């Protein structure tokens, strides 16, 4: 018996599954793979809203123009993956802007480490869903750069619609 010819949709699904598996994306739905380019669907908070996103490319150099992306973590793992964190915190990523904002640059990200030093205070405020939430919280220490377990330092990952 002849094997049926795979449809375009079947081929694309299989290719997407292989690409996701090959990139080693974290359980937290990380915005990008550490080991190279690939596609993964994740979520990012921006202006209090949760957005879908797709990785387009990991960059070797800082993009210009750029958008800031805050990666929330507890020093060891993405904060959304920590069992002590409120269920309201659906993503460890917070953007400074979103489509429609004057300063939106299309998701050309520069990653900022945002270490949560007081999980109880974080839970009281969850979700931490805007850059003001991150920058105004005295229990979140931010600095440019990423962690060993976080997203790449520079990458392109546009927000593709509200989650």
């Amino acid at each position: 018996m002849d094997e049926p010819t795979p449809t375009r949709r079947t081929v694309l699904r299989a290719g997407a599954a292989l690409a996701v598996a090959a990139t080693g994306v974290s359980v937290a739905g990380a915005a990008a793979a550490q080991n190279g380019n690939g596609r993964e669907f994740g979520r990012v908070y921006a202006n209090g809203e949760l957005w879908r996103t797709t990785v387009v490319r990991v960059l070797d150099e800082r993009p210009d123009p750029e958008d800031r992306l805050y990666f929330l973590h507890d020093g060891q793992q993405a904060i959304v993956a920590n069992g002590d964190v409120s269920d309201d915190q659906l993503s460890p990523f917070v953007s400074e802007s979103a489509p429609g904002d004057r300063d939106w640059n299309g998701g050309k990200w520069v990653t900022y480490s945002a270490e949560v030093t007081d999980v109880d205070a974080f839970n009281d405020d969850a979700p931490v869903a805007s850059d003001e939430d991150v920058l105004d919280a005295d229990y979140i220490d931010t600095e440019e750069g990423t962690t060993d377990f976080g997203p790449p330092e520079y990458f392109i990952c546009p927000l593709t619609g509200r989650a």
Side-chain angles (χ1 to χ4, degrees):
M1 182 189 249
D2 289 335
E3 297 264 336
T5 303
T7 66
R8 181 175 186 269
R9 184 177 190 155
T10 303
V11 171
L12 289 174
R13 276 189 187 163
L18 288 172
V20 169
T23 60
V25 176
S26 76
V27 174
Q34 279 288 68
N35 62 349
N37 298 330
R39 295 176 68 91
E40 171 63 15
F41 298 98
R43 295 179 290 188
V44 173
Y45 280 111
N47 303 330
E49 299 285 334
L50 199 57
W51 292 75
R52 290 186 313 274
T53 186
T54 304
V55 174
V56 173
R57 184 175 31 174
V58 175
L59 303 172
D60 294 326
E61 296 180 9
R62 185 183 202 111
D64 182 25
E66 66 184 49
D67 293 305
R68 288 185 178 191
L69 184 72
Y70 298 97
F71 172 59
L72 297 164
H73 62 89
D74 66 2
Q76 297 181 340
Q77 60 185 344
I79 199 72
V80 74
N82 185 331
D84 296 332
V85 175
S86 169
D87 289 340
D88 294 333
Q89 192 68 37
L90 301 174
S91 175
F93 302 106
V94 179
S95 169
E96 68 176 347
S97 58
D101 293 350
R102 290 184 87 188
D103 59 346
W104 173 244
N105 295 304
K108 297 173 186 168
W109 303 115
V110 172
T111 302
Y112 282 74
S113 170
E115 184 172 355
V116 175
T117 58
D118 183 342
V119 173
D120 290 334
F122 180 85
N123 279 332
D124 290 342
D125 290 343
V128 175
S130 72
D131 64 327
E132 290 89 8
D133 293 346
V134 172
L135 298 173
D136 291 346
D138 59 0
Y139 55 84
I140 299 177
D141 295 332
T142 61
E143 65 181 77
E144 186 176 340
T146 190
T147 64
D148 291 339
F149 52 88
E153 193 167 2
Y154 312 122
F155 60 101
I156 298 175
C157 191
L159 301 182
T160 57
R162 297 227 170 93

